[in-house]
Amino acid sequence: MPRTAAQFIQDVSSGEEIFMDVFKAACSWDFETEMQKIVDNSGYDLSPGNLKAAYEAPPNWTLALFGGQYFFTEPSDLKGKSLFVNPTTEQVIMLDDIEQPELQAGKDPTYKFTITPDDSETSQTQTYTITFDVGFKINELPSCHTCRGTRQNDSKVVKATQKIADRDDEDSCKVPDPKDTGNGVNTSIVIGVLLGIDGLAAVALMYAYVVYKSRQGEAAQALLEAEAASPTNEATLREKARKARDTVIEAYSNLRTMLDRPWQARQTVQYFELQEMRHPELNVEYASLQRPVDDKIESYLGTFLADNPKIQPDDLNTKEYESKLGEMREAATLIARGFFKHGATERALVESDRKYSGMAEFLPFNDDVYKNPVAMMGETVADRDFDARDGLLKSYTSIVLDAYIQLEIARLAYERGEAYISAANEASQAAEKARSDIQEKKEAKEKIDKQLEDTAMTSEKMKELTDKSDKLQREIEALEAEVTEQEADKKAADKRKESNKHGERIFTPKK
């Protein structure tokens, strides 16, 4: 039993495989053959009458029918801001918030949703009730959808119009970041709605084709009847055949007009591709690579010490082993660089697929120049990000290796007994005494600062007290430095702190 025309509208609008089947058929040089394959083999009831009836009176509204990016014209505080309707997830993205609207009761496609703007100035929740308009009839050239409604908080009217990507508009002619379309994947239907080729446009295109084929069949039948007619009614039937032929021409002309949109969309997406390939931008996450890179460096040190039992960790702090330490740093750097490059490439390829997979489906791979632009853009970003961090990686690896050497020295010192424990106790007592002195001086400084609040004080007295306050502050800072210096593992902690400072420049995104 064939699937209904209503199911076809739902599937083609939400991004099922049938959406790209229709688009590719429309862009084929032999589009009639390819479109007919869909009619014959897709399993949907695509007769003109049923398609039109399902389109004009859908049994169940779905947000997928209204996918696209809408820009607000009202109210004034929303002008220039956008509402993105993701046809795949049926979510709305507005003011950096993602919500799943609820269909309201009634005959119109009215949806209600509440958002919490990611904006300190408008952080209160806002509730919207919006009705979407298809924007065109099934036998018309697809045009932009619109929507209007109200904001419940202040009862203001809300209006927005869908915007289609234009290659002459630099701001719109780019592939969006997946987070801006629902933090998922830019599927073909997501890219399609940005180009003005959404599910309903595909339905209108299919309708134009089946109407054309129906008129073609009617004209052929009318011609056969005219040729077999008796002399008494031959003129009438030939006039009927002529009119039928005119309807074929009209239907074909309408179909050709409909086909302009997918061809324009393909040209635009090819322009997208060229722009993105020149300067691909991906939100690649590198922070999770820091711990594994550190583990690789630590593992290398452990292996080195196990393979060289005559070398103790504290030997590596001596002049005698300075050359050996340099060799170790170079070896550890090679390991860290290789691991980071591999991990960066893997992450960039995943992010490139998330962002560009839908775009790639629209591209005709008729040549061998760019066999896989999605992977190429991911590799480009990975190489670029690695090159930007490569010099820092060398410094970072040396610092982390030194930190692990100091930690190993501290660990061995702890294991070696009472002498180290005694030294640690003395350091602890010294640190405690310094902390006590710090507290006393802070209290004294607070009293002086309180006196300085007296506006009637003479300038000489104020200078005297200010000098005392500044002196106490210097003494406090010196004592605080002394406390830090008394820490038993200070050297290791300093190295770790230094490595983290370098790590922030390596494992966080570039602005």
Side-chain angles (χ1 to χ4, degrees):
M1 184 175 179
R3 285 171 285 182
T4 64
Q7 187 63 52
F8 170 75
I9 294 173
Q10 168 64 37
D11 291 348
V12 81
S13 297
S14 58
E16 297 291 334
E17 188 177 347
I18 187 65
F19 170 75
M20 283 309 300
D21 289 343
V22 173
F23 179 85
K24 289 177 180 178
C27 290
S28 169
W29 291 111
D30 188 8
F31 71 89
E32 285 195 48
T33 299
E34 297 303 318
M35 293 288 277
Q36 192 60 41
K37 286 179 182 178
I38 296 174
V39 174
D40 294 338
N41 305 321
S42 66
Y44 293 100
D45 175 4
L46 298 176
S47 62
N50 288 340
L51 260 183
K52 189 172 188 294
Y55 183 92
E56 293 176 349
N60 294 299
W61 288 112
T62 169
L63 200 60
L65 298 173
F66 307 102
Q69 189 168 30
Y70 297 75
F71 281 85
F72 291 101
T73 56
E74 293 185 38
S76 59
D77 60 289
L78 289 180
K79 281 186 178 180
K81 295 181 173 61
S82 68
L83 168 75
F84 184 81
V85 179
N86 189 314
T88 303
T89 62
E90 297 193 38
Q91 294 173 316
V92 295
I93 300 91
M94 179 178 170
L95 302 180
D96 293 328
D97 193 16
I98 303 174
E99 295 297 334
Q100 198 92 34
E102 294 182 2
L103 178 64
Q104 304 299 289
K107 63 183 181 64
D108 296 320
T110 301
Y111 290 84
K112 186 176 183 179
F113 58 92
T114 299
I115 66 165
T116 303
D118 187 15
D119 184 340
S120 59
E121 296 180 2
T122 56
S123 57
Q124 65 175 357
T125 59
Q126 301 173 1
T127 300
Y128 294 85
T129 302
I130 291 179
T131 300
F132 290 89
D133 176 37
V134 172
F136 57 94
K137 296 178 181 179
I138 194 170
N139 59 350
E140 294 177 344
L141 185 66
S143 58
C144 296
H145 303 313
T146 60
C147 64
R148 63 177 296 150
T150 57
R151 182 165 58 193
Q152 184 174 304
N153 305 54
D154 51 18
S155 300
K156 286 189 175 180
V157 173
V158 176
K159 294 181 181 179
T161 301
Q162 182 188 14
K163 184 177 181 180
I164 296 173
D166 181 356
R167 56 188 294 175
D168 295 326
D169 181 354
E170 188 174 330
D171 291 333
S172 70
C173 198
K174 59 185 178 181
V175 179
D177 190 291
K179 69 179 178 60
D180 297 327
T181 57
N183 204 25
V185 179
N186 285 341
T187 60
S188 57
I189 188 67
V190 168
I191 300 298
V193 297
L194 293 171
L195 299 169
I197 300 296
D198 59 5
L200 293 182
V203 173
L205 178 61
M206 179 56 70
Y207 177 76
Y209 172 74
V210 294
V211 166
Y212 160 65
K213 294 304 290 183
S214 176
R215 298 291 183 268
Q216 197 177 50
E218 292 168 0
Q221 180 62 35
L223 182 59
L224 287 175
E225 291 175 359
E227 290 176 345
S230 62
T232 56
N233 59 0
E234 179 180 1
T236 301
L237 291 178
R238 286 200 176 278
E239 178 62 18
K240 179 181 177 181
R242 186 190 63 76
K243 290 181 178 180
R245 184 187 61 197
D246 289 345
T247 62
V248 173
I249 294 172
E250 182 182 355
Y252 185 75
S253 175
N254 185 50
L255 174 59
R256 293 298 306 187
T257 302
M258 290 285 191
L259 287 169
D260 285 345
R261 178 66 66 82
W263 276 100
Q264 290 171 2
R266 172 159 281 181
Q267 290 175 347
T268 302
V269 83
Q270 286 175 317
Y271 184 75
F272 275 11
E273 179 197 20
L274 291 175
Q275 294 294 92
E276 296 288 345
M277 289 186 74
R278 290 189 184 101
H279 306 287
E281 295 295 336
L282 299 174
N283 273 327
V284 186
E285 183 273 319
Y286 295 118
S288 60
L289 278 175
Q290 184 170 11
R291 182 70 255 180
V293 167
D294 289 1
D295 289 345
K296 287 289 182 182
I297 298 170
E298 184 180 20
S299 176
Y300 164 74
L301 176 61
T303 301
F304 175 85
L305 293 174
D307 292 343
N308 298 273
K310 292 183 179 181
I311 299 178
Q312 295 299 305
D314 49 4
D315 292 337
L316 298 171
N317 283 340
T318 65
K319 191 75 172 177
E320 181 183 354
Y321 284 88
E322 187 175 311
S323 176
K324 176 58 69 176
L325 180 59
E327 294 174 6
M328 291 174 64
R329 287 171 175 166
E330 289 182 6
T333 298
L334 285 175
I335 293 170
R337 290 177 74 249
F339 185 83
F340 181 85
K341 178 65 182 295
H342 178 74
T345 301
E346 282 188 334
R347 282 162 171 73
L349 288 174
V350 169
E351 190 61 28
S352 184
D353 189 63
R354 288 180 68 237
K355 183 173 182 178
Y356 297 124
S357 59
M359 178 193 75
E361 290 190 57
F362 284 90
L363 299 172
F365 298 104
N366 297 325
D367 57 66
D368 295 328
V369 178
Y370 304 122
K371 289 187 177 179
N372 193 342
V374 175
M376 182 181 295
M377 286 184 278
E379 290 166 357
T380 298
V381 170
D383 290 343
R384 184 182 67 202
D385 288 355
F386 176 76
D387 290 344
R389 293 163 170 80
D390 195 17
L392 295 170
L393 266 172
K394 183 176 181 180
S395 301
Y396 177 79
T397 303
S398 296
I399 294 166
V400 173
L401 179 63
D402 289 353
Y404 280 126
I405 290 172
Q406 301 311 318
L407 287 172
E408 186 65 13
I409 292 171
R411 184 187 67 79
L412 291 174
Y414 178 79
E415 293 176 354
R416 284 169 182 165
E418 295 296 324
Y420 293 94
I421 295 173
S422 176
N425 286 338
E426 290 177 7
S428 177
Q429 291 169 8
E432 189 60 37
K433 173 66 168 58
R435 290 190 187 97
S436 177
D437 291 345
I438 287 171
Q439 185 59 33
E440 290 178 6
K441 291 181 183 295
K442 281 185 174 180
E443 291 173 357
K445 185 177 183 299
E446 287 176 3
K447 289 179 180 179
I448 291 174
D449 291 343
K450 189 71 175 175
Q451 294 178 51
L452 286 169
E453 293 177 2
D454 183 4
T455 56
M457 186 184 301
T458 64
S459 59
E460 290 80 9
K461 183 64 175 177
M462 182 173 290
K463 183 178 186 307
E464 177 188 347
L465 291 176
T466 300
D467 290 343
K468 286 182 179 180
S469 177
D470 291 343
K471 181 181 177 183
L472 284 169
Q473 180 60 37
R474 289 193 296 272
E475 291 172 353
I476 289 169
E477 290 173 355
L479 286 167
E480 287 175 340
E482 183 182 336
V483 169
T484 303
E485 289 171 1
Q486 296 299 335
E487 297 295 336
D489 59 349
K490 176 184 180 299
K491 195 168 185 179
D494 283 352
K495 287 291 183 183
R496 186 71 263 183
K497 184 178 180 181
E498 187 179 358
S499 71
N500 285 340
K501 187 182 295 184
H502 279 70
E504 289 177 3
R505 299 164 65 190
I506 297 170
F507 300 103
T508 54
K510 298 292 181 184
K511 300 297 184 184

